[in-house]
Amino acid sequence: MKMLINVPETVVADALRGIAAAHPELTVDVENRVVARRDAPVAGKVGLVSGGGSGHEPLHAGFVGPGMLSAACPGEVFTSPVPDQMVRAAAAVDSGAGVLFVVKNYTGDVLNFEMAAELAEDEGVQVAQVVVDDDVAVSDSTFTAGRRGTGATLFVEKIAGALADEGAPLDRVAAVARQVNGASRSFGVALGAVTTPAKGSPTFDLPAGELELGIGIHGEPGRERRPMMTSGEIADFAVNAILEDLRPTGPVLALVNGMGATPLLELYGFNAEVHRALSERGVPVARTLVGNYVTSLDMAGCSVTLCQVDEELLRLWDAPVRTAALRWGL
């Protein structure tokens, strides 16, 4: 497979150097693998720290900035960052108001963030955690106990980040982050396999003419394989899977997310089908975001994430944000 890299061993460091060159508003510690707001810590503000394996860009470094994360910790490709990174990030963004760790539900991430929270608290940093587990496709998977954390991570980071920027205390920011996670569900579909730099070839076999329903963001198996379906059929399947679990009684945020190799032309067409499916089922959509936000390197496919919102959550979603990958209102 052809890749725009030097050698697999330096992929993450090279990307971090590129982020630093493109975004002077960020502080990028390439050696210690921490990306932070240059103005951190912000007086009186709860710090938000997230992270995970690289390969899901723009998650998480692309979401560092006003209105979202205070810092991000990128691990190696599809590998959890280590506790030392998280402790450094927490110390860099703590203003004395505490730090919230936003953790996707993968075993390595959960264990390392828990260890980091203990170490940070030993250093005098108050830490709360929220674990994102929104994927309805499977109850357990290759890397998880319980549901996987996927697209809802963006909703949690955006809404909790807006509340933190308003000066809310740590317990309130953590409670709203958990509320968003509890109100969110996701379902993903793979049309093609993912290729990691270290392997240099597809990590699983998906024959031509087939797709996998319920795939994870690391190429983990889903619910089932079927012959290729139309965009409308995929939208119906994904929306049904989500609504069987979420059962919203009000408007939702909708994220139609590309997995890395699906063009926007296809994603917007798929978004039309998702809106059609939701309308037929009586679910109003308050806001929609379409694009590549929680990816899996070069995987072809998409995911749908829905989050039921009230007026307060919608207000926080609409609040200004300025990051490398998400910005409005500023």
Side-chain angles (χ1 to χ4, degrees):
M1 300 292 291
K2 297 177 182 178
M3 294 184 178
L4 197 63
I5 65 173
N6 292 316
V7 293
E9 293 77 13
T10 66
V11 165
V12 176
D14 291 344
L16 289 173
R17 291 190 296 106
I19 290 172
H23 297 285
E25 72 276 15
L26 300 175
T27 299
V28 181
D29 184 339
V30 177
E31 181 179 356
N32 293 308
R33 306 288 175 88
V34 175
V35 179
R37 290 175 54 162
R38 187 166 291 279
D39 61 353
V42 178
K45 176 189 173 307
V46 169
L48 258 70
V49 174
S50 192
S54 295
H56 306 302
E57 290 73 22
L59 191 81
H60 295 273
F63 299 143
V64 175
M68 250 178 130
L69 293 176
S70 305
C73 307
E76 292 297 328
V77 172
F78 293 175
T79 303
S80 171
V82 298
D84 284 352
Q85 291 174 258
M86 304 159 188
V87 173
R88 287 191 183 94
V93 304
D94 179 40
S95 68
V99 173
L100 177 66
F101 285 164
V102 179
V103 188
K104 299 189 303 302
N105 188 34
Y106 296 95
T107 301
D109 290 20
V110 172
L111 292 175
N112 285 347
F113 269 104
E114 286 178 350
M115 185 180 299
E118 294 176 1
L119 294 171
E121 288 180 341
D122 288 343
E123 296 182 4
V125 179
Q126 184 183 6
V127 177
Q129 299 184 69
V130 58
V131 175
V132 181
D133 56 356
D134 54 304
D135 181 17
V136 302
V138 293
S139 58
D140 295 290
S141 73
T142 311
F143 302 109
T144 65
R147 290 178 168 175
R148 302 175 289 212
T150 58
T153 312
L154 184 153
F155 290 155
V156 170
E157 292 175 356
K158 170 63 185 77
I159 291 173
L163 188 61
D165 269 19
E166 293 180 355
L170 179 59
D171 58 352
R172 174 63 180 153
V173 176
V176 167
R178 295 186 185 106
Q179 178 187 352
V180 173
N181 178 63
S184 300
R185 301 290 188 277
S186 296
F187 191 88
V189 178
L191 309 182
V194 59
T195 303
T196 62
K199 191 171 189 293
S201 60
T203 58
F204 62 94
D205 177 40
L206 187 57
E210 294 186 7
L211 79 168
E212 181 134 5
L213 297 164
I215 196 73
I217 58 174
H218 307 95
E220 310 99 308
R223 287 187 178 184
E224 60 180 296
R225 288 188 178 182
R226 288 190 180 183
M228 187 60 193
M229 300 156 66
T230 67
S231 177
E233 290 168 340
I234 295 170
D236 284 323
F237 194 101
V239 168
N240 283 338
I242 291 171
L243 296 185
E244 285 171 5
D245 196 284
L246 182 60
R247 304 186 186 280
T249 57
V252 298
L253 301 175
L255 169 63
V256 172
N257 172 67
M259 302 301 282
T262 302
L264 276 172
L265 179 70
E266 296 177 32
L267 290 177
Y268 276 116
F270 182 64
N271 179 56
E273 296 296 342
V274 169
H275 274 247
R276 186 262 313 154
L278 290 170
S279 177
E280 290 176 355
R281 291 155 179 79
V283 179
V285 179
R287 302 285 187 273
T288 305
L289 189 63
V290 180
N292 290 288
Y293 293 101
V294 183
T295 64
S296 183
L297 291 171
D298 63 344
M299 183 187 288
C302 60
S303 63
V304 179
T305 304
L306 302 179
C307 175
Q308 180 171 323
V309 290
D310 54 22
E311 290 185 3
E312 176 68 358
L313 294 186
L314 190 58
R315 181 187 70 80
L316 292 168
W317 174 258
D318 287 340
V321 59
R322 188 171 74 249
T323 70
L326 203 68
R327 56 179 61 209
W328 57 69
L330 286 173

